Amino acid sequence: DLATAMVPVFRKVLKPIVGGLVAVVALQNLGLNVAGLLAGLGIGGLAIALAGKSALENLFGSLAIAFDRPFKIGEFVKVDAFVGTIEDVGLRSTRIRTLDRTLVSIPNAQMADAQVENFARRDRFRLFTTLGLEYGTSMEQLKLVLDDLKKLLLARPEVWQDSFSVRFVGYGAYSLNIEVMVWVQTPDWSLFTGVREELLMEMGRIVERAGARFAFPSQTLYQ
């Protein structure tokens, strides 16, 4: 919940504050004039304040991330040109482990305004493929392939039954084209690739059983 998400942020915010207070008390106990020291910072204090502007922006960015929760540690995301797994969300930056195993740190002020695509929260995967059959395929064979493809998808419990499509879409340069679009109901990439493999292999068997063949680019020379 929100309270749980905010605990790491508040812990990181309070650490430097408590540390600063402890340091002030310690200096006073040593007999130093802490008030005079702080007053003597002058222009240096102004410079520190200006330098802290970006730090403050990043702090508010981390709070915005904690409230909005577009991602959490361990989730696979895309942020701008970077794709990888969230490793840590700090007060200043968010660290992403990329597919190349490099570690990218993005300031939280930038992260809060970025367009984040969270792959981990996907509820299903889309399978889209085009089956190209040879021009020697008869209309009866074509219809048999279409009917059997639909039966295949209706029989699979992993297929989202509310929306799938199997359609003969036209005459290509060298093939009769069938488009298949289906949603596989799993958020897990590994499970999806397994179901995709099984469906594609079964589609090939359906084409074989109909006595049809897949087309490939070819040319015919007339003399």
Side-chain angles (χ1 to χ4, degrees):
D1 56 10
L2 180 58
T4 303
M6 291 298 297
V7 167
V9 176
F10 286 134
R11 185 182 295 122
K12 291 176 181 178
V13 171
L14 290 174
K15 275 185 179 180
I17 295 176
V18 173
L21 292 175
V22 171
V24 169
V25 173
L27 290 173
Q28 284 181 335
N29 289 337
L30 290 174
L32 295 178
N33 185 359
V34 178
L37 180 62
L38 294 175
L41 290 176
I43 297 176
L46 178 60
I48 293 174
L50 291 175
K53 180 176 180 294
S54 61
L56 189 61
E57 290 175 347
N58 289 325
L59 173 60
F60 280 117
S62 66
L63 292 173
I65 291 171
F67 277 106
D68 194 41
R69 290 178 291 174
F71 50 78
K72 62 182 180 181
I73 294 174
E75 290 187 331
F76 189 70
V77 301
K78 178 181 179 182
V79 183
D80 296 331
F82 302 108
V83 177
T85 303
I86 300 292
E87 281 211 349
D88 184 54
V89 181
L91 289 179
R92 193 195 72 81
S93 64
T94 295
R95 289 188 283 277
I96 300 175
R97 181 72 65 180
T98 69
L99 295 177
D100 294 325
R101 303 304 298 163
T102 59
L103 194 61
V104 177
S105 294
I106 302 177
N108 284 333
Q110 176 183 336
M111 197 74 178
D113 291 332
Q115 180 175 329
V116 179
E117 186 175 359
N118 192 326
F119 297 103
R121 299 183 186 180
R122 176 166 33 194
D123 59 347
R124 63 182 73 97
F125 285 86
R126 187 174 78 109
L127 167 60
F128 178 83
T129 188
T130 299
L131 306 179
L133 306 184
E134 286 184 339
Y135 264 104
T137 305
S138 68
M139 290 298 103
E140 288 75 17
Q141 289 174 315
L142 180 60
K143 186 176 186 308
L144 179 58
V145 169
L146 290 169
D147 290 343
D148 285 351
L149 287 174
K150 293 173 183 176
K151 292 176 183 177
L152 166 67
L153 299 181
L154 286 170
R156 293 296 299 244
E158 307 93 339
V159 171
W160 192 43
Q161 299 296 325
D162 290 351
S163 178
F164 70 79
S165 175
V166 178
R167 288 287 185 267
F168 170 52
V169 295
Y171 301 92
Y174 54 86
S175 63
L176 305 175
N177 293 328
I178 298 173
E179 282 188 357
V180 180
M181 195 286 292
V182 58
W183 294 97
V184 178
Q185 298 185 105
T186 176
D188 186 278
W189 170 254
S190 180
L191 291 176
F192 164 70
T193 56
V195 174
R196 179 180 61 184
E197 178 182 73
E198 293 173 4
L199 289 175
L200 291 175
M201 292 182 68
E202 189 58 36
M203 290 176 192
R205 296 187 187 100
I206 287 173
V207 172
E208 291 176 352
R209 288 198 296 268
R213 294 194 301 178
F214 288 108
F216 56 90
S218 60
Q219 292 181 335
T220 301
L221 299 178
Y222 295 93
Q223 297 182 342

